[in-house]
Amino acid sequence: MQGMTWTSENYRVAMNFALSNDTKKHRVLFVTVIHNYTGFTGFRMNTAAYSAHPSEKEVLLCEGCPVAVMGVEDVYIDNSAYKDPFWAPFNNRYLTVIYLFHAYNI
């Protein structure tokens, strides 16, 4: 991947960055599985020593971080049965989910 890439261990934090009033924009969520048995190509910023917002559980992935695309799917969000307020801005919309895999030594 080119450039530093920001991600979060918390999907709700990541989804909030997908919010936009621009109806022409398509929402995309990258879900990254990070195999970290021997380490990973990145840095966790999940404490106050490294981040002003440690609750966001931010993870920075370094430039050139090797990833493999495992799949892509369009997900239709229907919140009508649960009425969870978090999903209200996404209700009755499609979200493209791209599944990535990162291993330290691929």
Side-chain angles (χ1 to χ4, degrees), residues 4 7 9 12 34-35 37 45-46 67 72 85 90 99:
M4 294 292 286
T7 187
E9 295 175 15
R12 288 183 180 245
I34 299 175
H35 182 247
Y37 182 72
M45 299 179 63
N46 55 2
V67 295
V72 178
F90 302 98
Y99 301 96

Side-chain angles (χ1 to χ4, degrees), residues 43-64:
F43 184 77
R44 283 190 176 93
M45 299 179 63
N46 55 2
T47 68
Y50 303 117
S51 174
H53 307 283
S55 63
E56 290 182 352
K57 297 184 178 183
E58 186 175 6
V59 176
L60 293 177
L61 297 176
C62 295
E63 183 170 7

